[in-house]
């Protein structure tokens, strides 16, 4: 148990350090586009380029981190790695497309993504995917205790989204209201801790023209709240309090989604109380029902985190995570709302 808590402390220190770096650096103009790939040469000699974004980099890294946490937590309970990977693929097969389909339905926009919509779909389907896998298992050794699975999925999700908000900061999306339009209390509270985005191609610039203006740091608040709740969920998981871990992380993530929407300025649909807020409240009620439904399910004892870490060194796991990163990056990192014009030339003095 001492080793498990030490691992948790190291993880927490690393995550908070990453967030503080991201809050300071990522609002800058140079942290939106990571690379430009020449695609077609135009008549004027310049190349039309495809922009690869830091949004895609951080989103792909977030997915990999969340899956790694899930593997770690379930591996600490001796759940076979191949079974966890199967659950991951089943959930992702539904949630990744949902991130764009739900955004298209709510916002009417084709080239955008929503974590809120994807998480709502995940909350709905995850417990029944686990149940179906348990029913199909040929041996009791190949089953996953549902409360433990719910806790592991919820903890990995909230930690992943906490880090994933760095993607939003880099792209300038999911932004808060300008401090100039906020109440006196909000201006006093967030005056020393605001975000100021620079760059005409960030979403906050072309959607609202708020570049260069201090805004409420909604993404940063979300990151800090989610990572803190996720670490608390890990603590409960380590001590075998699986349903408490599940409901804590679910409650914090969904209620903050409801509250944070009132601080945001980006488009969330035509309703004053958005569809994402409705989904979040429904998710809390659904999660409470799941907690009651599975309250009597037998669960194993505390987790052995070092044993879970050892499972991450499996070559198959490493290869799976690498492929997952590439797939997610290609899905979310190719910018369709920005373009580039590239000049290629020889540096004569270095020939």
């Amino acid at each position: 148990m001492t080793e498990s808590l030490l691992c948790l402390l190291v993880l927490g220190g690393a995550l908070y350090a990453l967030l503080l770096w991201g809050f300071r650096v990522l609002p800058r103009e140079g942290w939106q586009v990571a690379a430009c790939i020449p695609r077609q040469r135009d008549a004027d000699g310049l190349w039309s380029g495809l922009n690869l974004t830091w949004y895609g980099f951080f989103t792909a890294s977030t997915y990999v981190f969340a899956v790694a946490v899930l593997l770690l937590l379930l591996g600490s309970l001796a759940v076979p790695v191949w079974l966890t990977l199967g659950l991951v693929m089943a959930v992702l097969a539904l949630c990744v497309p949902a991130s764009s389909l739900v955004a298209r339905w709510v916002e009417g926009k084709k080239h955008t993504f929503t974590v809120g919509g994807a998480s709502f779909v995940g909350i709905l389907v995850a417990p029944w995917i686990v149940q179906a896998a348990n029913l199909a298992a040929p041996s009791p050794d190949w089953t996953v205790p549902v409360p433990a699975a719910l806790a592991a999925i919820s903890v990995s999700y909230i930690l992943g989204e906490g880090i994933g908000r760095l993607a939003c900061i880099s792209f300038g999306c999911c932004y808060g209201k300008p401090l100039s339009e906020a109440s006196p209390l909000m201006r006093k509270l967030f005056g020393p801790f605001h975000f100021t985005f620079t760059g005409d191609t960030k979403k906050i610039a072309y959607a609202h023209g708020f570049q260069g203006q201090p805004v409420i740091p909604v993404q940063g608040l979300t990151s800090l709240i989610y990572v803190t709740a996720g670490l608390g969920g890990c603590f409960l998981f380590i001590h075998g309090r699986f349903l408490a871990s599940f409901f804590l992380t679910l409650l914090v993530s969904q209620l903050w989604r409801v509250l944070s929407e009132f601080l945001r300025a980006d488009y969330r649909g035509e309703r004053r109380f958005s569809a994402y807020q409705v989904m979040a409240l429904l998710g809390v009620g659904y999660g409470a029902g799941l907690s009651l439904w599975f309250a009597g399910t037998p669960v194993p004892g505390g987790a052995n985190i070092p044993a879970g870490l050892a499972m991450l060194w499996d070559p198959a796991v490493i290869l799976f995570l690498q492929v997952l990163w590439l797939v997610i990056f290609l899905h979310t990192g190719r910018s369709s709302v920005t373009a580039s014009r590239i000049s290629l030339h020889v540096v004569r003095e270095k020939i």
Side-chain angles (χ1 to χ4, degrees):
M1 188 66 70
T2 302
E3 292 178 335
S4 298
L5 292 176
L6 180 60
C7 291
L8 184 60
L9 288 174
V10 171
L11 174 64
L15 293 181
Y16 286 126
L18 175 62
L19 293 182
L20 293 177
W21 169 84
F23 298 165
R24 181 174 59 88
V25 171
L26 295 179
R28 300 174 187 170
E29 182 175 10
W31 284 91
Q32 181 180 2
V33 176
C36 301
I37 299 178
R39 302 182 70 180
Q40 180 178 348
R41 186 170 183 174
D42 299 328
D44 58 3
L46 297 179
W47 290 77
S48 298
L50 169 67
N51 293 339
L52 302 178
T53 62
W54 286 109
Y55 178 95
F57 173 86
F58 285 113
T59 300
S61 301
T62 292
Y63 272 91
V64 168
F65 172 69
V67 171
V69 170
L70 181 62
L71 288 164
L72 167 65
L73 293 179
L74 291 183
S76 71
L77 300 177
V79 174
V81 65
W82 62 265
L83 181 55
T84 304
L85 290 178
L87 295 175
V88 167
M89 293 178 67
V91 173
L92 289 181
L94 294 171
C95 291
V96 172
S99 68
S100 57
L101 293 175
V102 174
R104 187 180 304 184
W105 169 61
V106 174
E107 302 176 40
K109 296 181 179 179
K110 207 174 166 183
H111 304 289
T112 191
F113 302 97
T114 170
V115 176
S119 66
F120 180 69
V121 172
I123 292 168
L124 291 179
V125 303
W128 311 116
I129 290 176
V130 176
Q131 280 283 70
N134 288 342
L135 291 174
S139 166
D141 295 334
W142 293 357
T143 59
V144 185
V146 176
L150 289 176
I153 291 170
S154 188
V155 167
S156 61
Y157 157 71
I158 198 171
L159 284 175
E161 186 171 352
I163 300 302
R165 287 297 161 178
L166 295 178
C168 301
I169 299 174
S170 72
F171 200 77
C173 61
C174 306
Y175 44 89
K177 296 178 180 179
L179 288 181
S180 60
E181 299 178 8
S183 66
L185 176 61
M186 289 295 177
R187 287 198 295 271
K188 183 177 180 180
L189 186 61
F190 295 115
F193 308 108
H194 62 266
F195 283 164
T196 301
F197 292 89
T198 56
D200 293 337
T201 58
K202 286 188 182 285
K203 185 175 181 180
I204 191 172
Y206 64 75
H208 274 99
F210 292 158
Q211 72 273 28
Q213 297 186 39
V215 296
I216 297 174
V218 175
Q219 308 100 318
L221 292 171
T222 301
S223 291
L224 291 172
I225 290 171
Y226 280 15
V227 166
T228 302
L231 293 173
C234 282
F235 181 83
L236 292 171
F237 190 97
I238 289 171
H239 288 82
R241 303 284 301 278
F242 300 119
L243 286 177
S245 173
F246 162 66
F247 197 63
L248 168 69
T249 49
L250 178 71
L251 187 67
V252 170
S253 65
Q254 301 309 302
L255 287 185
W256 174 248
R257 187 173 299 282
V258 174
L259 295 174
S260 65
E261 296 259 328
F262 294 115
L263 302 177
R264 290 173 61 165
D266 59 319
Y267 182 72
R268 313 297 292 162
E270 297 296 338
R271 303 177 182 176
R272 181 175 177 81
F273 196 82
S274 75
Y276 298 120
Q277 291 171 300
V278 173
M279 291 179 201
L281 291 179
L282 290 174
V284 171
Y286 185 68
L290 290 176
S291 298
L292 293 174
W293 182 270
F294 294 109
T297 304
V299 294
N304 182 0
I305 297 298
L309 282 171
M311 294 184 69
L312 292 178
W313 290 107
D314 187 316
V317 171
I318 295 173
L319 181 61
F320 175 84
L321 294 177
Q322 290 174 333
V323 172
L324 175 64
W325 189 95
L326 182 61
V327 170
I328 298 299
F329 178 75
L330 292 177
H331 180 63
T332 62
R334 296 177 298 169
S335 178
S336 57
V337 296
T338 66
S340 55
R341 299 271 284 159
I342 304 169
S343 173
L344 300 178
H345 58 275
V346 175
V347 182
R348 295 289 177 180
E349 58 270 22
K350 293 187 178 181
I351 296 177

